Amino acid sequence: MSNLSSKPYQIGYALTPKKEQTFIVPSLLSYASQNGVVLTKIDPTKPLIQQGPFDCILHKLYDSDWKQNLQDFASRNPNIPIIASPESIDILRNRISMLETVSKLKINNTGVPKQITITEVTGLENLKLNFPLIAKPLDADGSETSHKLHLIFDKDGLNNLTAPLVLQEFVNHGGVVFKVYVAGKYFRCVKRKSLPDISEEKLVNLKGSLPFSQVSNLAAAGGGEGCKFEKTEMPPESLVKELVEGLKEELRLNLFNFDVIRDGKNKENYLVIDINYFPGYAKMPDFESVITDFLRDVVHKDINCGDN
Ligand SMILES: Nc1ncnc2c1ncn2[C@@H]1O[C@H](COP(=O)(O)OP(=O)(O)OP(=O)(O)O)[C@@H](O)[C@H]1O
Ligand SMILES: O=P(O)(O)O[C@H]1[C@H](OP(=O)(O)O)[C@@H](OP(=O)(O)O)[C@@H](O)[C@@H](O)[C@@H]1OP(=O)(O)O
Ligand SMILES: [Mg+2]
Ligand SMILES: [Mg+2]
C-alpha cells in the first residue's frame, strides 16, 4: 500500500558503518519510501543544524562530539523528535542502572538475577553469590569488550578478570532466551538459543572461568543439559506486555529489546538479564513495516519520544 497523500517524512539517521550496513537495507528503504518515509544519512562530523531538513532524528552513536551536535540541534528544534535521548540511552549503557529499571517495576513473577558490581578483582573471598556466575563488563557501550562475557565456575575463575564488571548468578533456564523487541506500540517476543543449563553434577567438573566463545562446546563435552528449543513455551503474553509497558515508561525509550529467561527452579518466574537500545531489528520478520509504522507514529507525535 503506498501512501502519497502527503509530503514524505524526512528521517535523518546517524549510525556506525556496521549498524548502517545491517539496518539501512534496501528492503527498508524501499518499503519506507513507498509509505511516505525517506531515510537520509546524516554526516555526524558536520553540524546537524546545517543538514536536513528533518522531521525526526534516529541515531545510535555515543561519542561526545555527536552528543554535543545533537544537543545543539535539539535546543534549536525542540519540536523535532530525537530517537532517542542520550540520557535514556545512557541508563542502558551501565549494566547496573540497566537492570535497576526492571526491579523498580515490581511486576509479579519477574525480576533480575542476583548481581553485584566489582570495581577491583581482589578481596572477593566473601562473595555472597552462588556459583556458577556470569561476569559481564559493567559498561554495555556497544564496544567489542562490552560483549566479552565469562562463565565463572569457582573462586579461581575470578582471577584475571578486568574490572569494572558485574558478577551475576547464572540461572539455569533450559537453554532458551526470549528476546522481546519493542518499537513504539509494537512488540514481539522471539526465542533464541542460549547457554545450556549447568547441573550440580556438571559443575563439580568445571573449573575456573570460560569465555563464551567456548561455552557452546559445553553441550558437546556433556557439560550442559540438552535444550528442547522447539518445545520451549513462550512466556505469558500478559507478562511480556506488562514488562514492555513498564520498561517503556521507566526508560522513556521506544526502540529497544530485552532478554528474558525462565527460572529453571520456578517456571512461573521470569528474569530480565539484558536490555539493549536499538538492537538488530533486521533479524525480525516484517521489520520494514514495523520500523516504518514506528517512525510515522513518532513524527505524528502519536508516540512521545521522551523530552520532545
Ligand atoms: N544471569 C544469567 N543466567 C543465565 N544465562 C545468562 C545470564 N546472563 C546472560 N546469560 C546468557 O548469556 C547471553 C548474553 O548475555 P547478555 O545478553 O547479558 O550479554 P550481551 O553482551 O548484552 O548480549 P546482547 O548481544 O544480547 O546485547 C544471554 O543471551 C544468555 O544466553
Ligand atoms: O546487529 P545485531 O543483530 O547483532 O544486533 C545487536 C546489536 O548490535 P548493533 O546495534 O551493533 O547491530 C547490539 O548492540 P550493542 O549492544 O553492540 O550496541 C545489541 O543491541 C544486541 O542485543 C543486538 O542483537 P539482538 O539483541 O538484536 O540479537
Ligand atoms: Mg543480550
Ligand atoms: Mg546486551
Side-chain angles (χ1 to χ4, degrees):
M1 181 256 318
S2 69
N3 165 13
L4 303 176
S5 57
S6 57
K7 150 173 104 54
Y9 296 136
Q10 297 294 335
I11 314 290
Y13 65 85
L15 303 170
T16 61
K18 178 207 162 208
K19 188 71 176 174
E20 182 179 345
Q21 195 186 8
T22 56
F23 181 74
I24 306 290
V25 292
S27 61
L28 174 64
L29 292 172
S30 58
Y31 183 92
S33 64
Q34 285 157 31
N35 288 273
V37 171
V38 174
L39 287 147
T40 308
K41 183 171 180 170
I42 288 167
D43 178 346
T45 64
K46 294 202 174 67
L48 196 40
I49 46 178
Q50 292 170 9
Q51 304 179 56
F54 299 118
D55 298 302
C56 169
I57 304 291
L58 171 64
H59 76 106
K60 187 176 183 182
L61 293 175
Y62 302 131
D63 62 277
S64 50
D65 290 349
W66 167 250
K67 275 187 170 178
Q68 188 54 56
N69 197 348
L70 203 52
Q71 174 112 40
D72 296 348
F73 176 86
S75 55
R76 296 165 190 240
N77 301 276
N79 294 324
I80 296 185
I82 293 173
I83 309 166
S85 77
E87 295 71 30
S88 292
I89 298 171
D90 283 349
I91 294 169
L92 296 185
R93 292 183 59 193
N94 173 297
R95 290 188 189 271
I96 295 295
S97 55
M98 172 203 286
L99 295 188
E100 276 169 350
T101 58
V102 180
S103 308
K104 282 181 197 162
L105 301 181
K106 301 198 187 322
I107 296 172
N108 282 346
N109 298 116
T110 68
V112 299
K114 227 169 132 195
Q115 63 177 18
I116 57 169
T117 312
I118 303 287
T119 49
E120 51 182 52
V121 282
T122 51
L124 296 176
E125 289 70 35
N126 51 3
L127 214 50
K128 299 244 182 318
L129 296 174
N130 299 316
F131 291 102
L133 306 173
I134 289 204
K136 304 182 184 181
L138 180 62
D139 296 344
D141 59 6
S143 62
E144 272 302 298
T145 42
S146 72
H147 292 287
K148 283 229 178 335
L149 311 185
H150 289 76
L151 266 173
I152 314 287
F153 301 115
D154 55 27
K155 285 201 185 314
D156 291 346
L158 295 169
N159 305 328
N160 316 319
L161 289 174
T162 311
L165 55 91
V166 168
L167 279 183
Q168 218 176 60
E169 284 187 352
F170 178 89
V171 177
N172 283 328
H173 55 284
V176 177
V177 60
F178 305 107
K179 267 189 185 272
V180 183
Y181 286 84
V182 181
K185 299 175 192 166
Y186 176 90
F187 69 89
R188 182 191 185 110
C189 183
V190 298
K191 268 193 271 192
R192 286 279 175 78
K193 285 210 182 324
S194 179
L195 300 178
D197 288 350
I198 305 174
S199 57
E200 288 303 320
E201 299 73 29
K202 300 283 186 305
L203 187 54
V204 294
N205 299 319
L206 296 164
K207 301 287 172 235
S209 69
L210 194 60
F212 268 28
S213 45
Q214 301 160 25
V215 169
S216 52
N217 306 334
L218 262 184
E225 310 304 322
C227 93
K228 308 161 189 69
F229 185 79
E230 297 311 327
K231 295 196 197 83
T232 301
E233 260 183 56
M234 299 298 263
E237 169 97 6
S238 57
L239 179 135
V240 172
K241 187 168 170 50
E242 259 194 289
L243 279 169
V244 167
E245 297 311 328
L247 286 173
K248 278 165 70 174
E249 192 177 331
E250 190 60 39
L251 292 165
R252 290 159 60 90
L253 282 179
N254 285 287
L255 200 62
F256 63 95
N257 77 4
F258 54 97
D259 297 348
V260 193
I261 56 177
R262 179 178 286 123
D263 184 345
K265 287 199 184 106
N266 171 1
K267 301 262 193 272
E268 307 289 309
N269 224 26
Y270 293 86
L271 303 175
V272 177
I273 54 174
D274 181 30
I275 310 174
N276 303 290
Y277 167 64
F278 197 164
Y281 287 93
K283 296 192 292 275
M284 210 173 55
D286 304 332
F287 96 99
E288 296 87 351
S289 55
V290 168
I291 294 297
T292 301
D293 292 349
F294 166 63
L295 293 171
R296 291 184 63 80
D297 285 347
V298 169
V299 176
H300 284 154
K301 302 257 191 290
D302 292 347
I303 290 177
N304 177 8
C305 250
D307 7 11
N308 304 75

